[in-house]
Amino acid sequence: MAGRKDGARPAEVTGADSATWAQELLDHLRPTGRDIRRVVAWLADAVHGTACLQDDTGNLLAGTPTPLDEDLVADIVSGRIASAAWDDTGRHLRLVRVEQPRPAVAGVLTVSRETPFDRRASDIVTHTAQVVELLLRADESTVAGRRLQRATSDLRLAILQLLMVEDTVSARRVAAGLWPGLLDTDTACVYVLESRVEERDRIAEECLDATEEQVLVVRCPAVDAHVIVVAPRDEAAGELRSLIGRRPGTFLGGSAPQSLVRTATAYGQAVSALAVARFRSDKQAVYAQRTHPERLMDPVALYGWTAHVLRPLDTLAHHTRAELLATTRLGLEFTAVNAAKVLGVSRNTVRARMERVEALLHADFSDLSARAVVHLALNIQVGLSQETYESGSAQTAHPRLADLLAGTALRIWAHDLLGRLESDARDLRRTLRTWIAAGGNAERAAHLLGVHAQTVREHVRSAEPVLERQLLAAGSDLYEVVLAHLALGDLDQPDLHGANRDHPDSPVHG
């Protein structure tokens, strides 16, 4: 048995054959060839034998398992000896200590062959052990880098989730540690970039590089092809547009500027704009500054109605109320599954919270009219100051939904919007009205209309570009169209805990 000390100078390499195997070994250090299993396999072929690499616990990392003396292995792993040669009956072995990246930890590289080790074979084993050590360190650095990237990505997602539930104080506190000043703003825009799934990570990195990490970039937890960007400054828009221009098959949708507390609203706007971007030649769109129905309503009456509709939630603890409102707002914009992914909770949690709000408001969220009306109240509530909200809640006469929808300006807007469908001979307006009344269920609407369900879907899809709104994906666009139908009396108005009755303080019936 023979041993060597750590740090011993490797044998000198000479000769044409040495140059050949040395070059082959060095090739394994190239970025495209760094694979410890391939190195160990190459070593076995080079010495015409077998080779294996095991860690300090005896786990096989690469190669063919070789029976070894446990005491000898323990001496090498502990550092008592750095290498050993062992000649057994019909078998000649070389064992070499291989340092691992973790402190005071080593593995063992074992080579076995039928003939004794000559100078060439010994040199190959010695140099291969050094290459294996380098590759182990490189692997550990790569793994550590990936861990850091994952942790940073998870932190960005956590910040976005805090913004989605309107906890801007906590979001700023979390962001301040790694990205000082990132959220030192009152308003921001949200952008959603869509690409092929396999390109999303590269798109996210390019977003960070293009904006010098001065924006919040998050890989969307709900849609694998999406990257979400919360940009506190206007310059980011140009940088993102430039990025899109260089990448075929990539689209960009942006929101209107919103306060940080309305990040969820801005996200919904960006997704809506993204749908438009898919049909534009420049592959990008910003949420249209179109007239929204709430802007055509009497603001004082609207605030009072909102406070009255949401009054059953006022008895809850502040954090519980905020949690229910934020979850329901997002759950009405997207599916429960996607809302859960964005919020970082289970879909059952989202459904449970929404069912609690349904019970408190006496609303039926399977009814698109009820969803649209609650969505209106939630969006108005998030933009109200506490003083304004309390003032509306204290009103002795609470406006009814019918009063809000009866305004001349709103009715003109609704007539102009739905009137766009009149020119289509397929009577898209009738199909759309029936589909909404059926809760967005194509099969039920088809039964009522006496047509095939696919025909209903095609009609609704055809109405989308005419109305310039997404309809098949529930969200703000669909709810605006529902409100237009309600304003014109084409749909029955939902009754939220008596909010539509002539006497709003009358008892609530089940």
Side-chain angles (χ1 to χ4, degrees), residues 27-99:
D27 285 342
H28 286 286
L29 290 174
R30 297 180 184 276
T32 57
R34 294 175 183 172
D35 186 331
I36 290 177
R37 287 168 296 193
R38 289 174 57 188
V39 172
V40 173
W42 172 87
L43 171 61
D45 289 340
V47 300
H48 307 295
T50 63
C52 74
L53 175 66
Q54 63 186 47
D55 63 15
D56 58 307
T57 63
N59 292 324
L60 183 69
L61 300 179
T64 304
T66 302
L68 299 172
D69 181 275
E70 294 183 0
D71 292 334
L72 178 58
V73 172
D75 286 343
I76 293 177
V77 168
S78 66
R80 291 181 59 191
I81 57 176
S83 65
W86 183 13
D87 297 336
D88 199 357
T89 303
R91 190 170 62 140
H92 302 271
L93 293 95
R94 288 287 188 274
L95 289 80
V96 182
R97 176 184 169 89
V98 175
E99 298 289 345

Side-chain angles (χ1 to χ4, degrees), residues 189 191 211 215 231 233-243 252 284 286:
C189 292
Y191 298 91
T211 59
V215 300
R233 58 190 179 90
D234 295 336
E235 292 85 344
E239 291 153 357
L240 294 176
R241 290 191 184 102
S242 175
L243 188 155
L252 174 68
Q284 51 193 271
V286 175

Side-chain angles (χ1 to χ4, degrees), residues 208-224:
L208 288 169
D209 292 341
T211 59
E212 299 180 348
E213 297 197 33
Q214 296 303 303
V215 300
L216 181 66
V217 178
V218 179
R219 292 163 177 80
C220 180
V223 183
D224 291 340

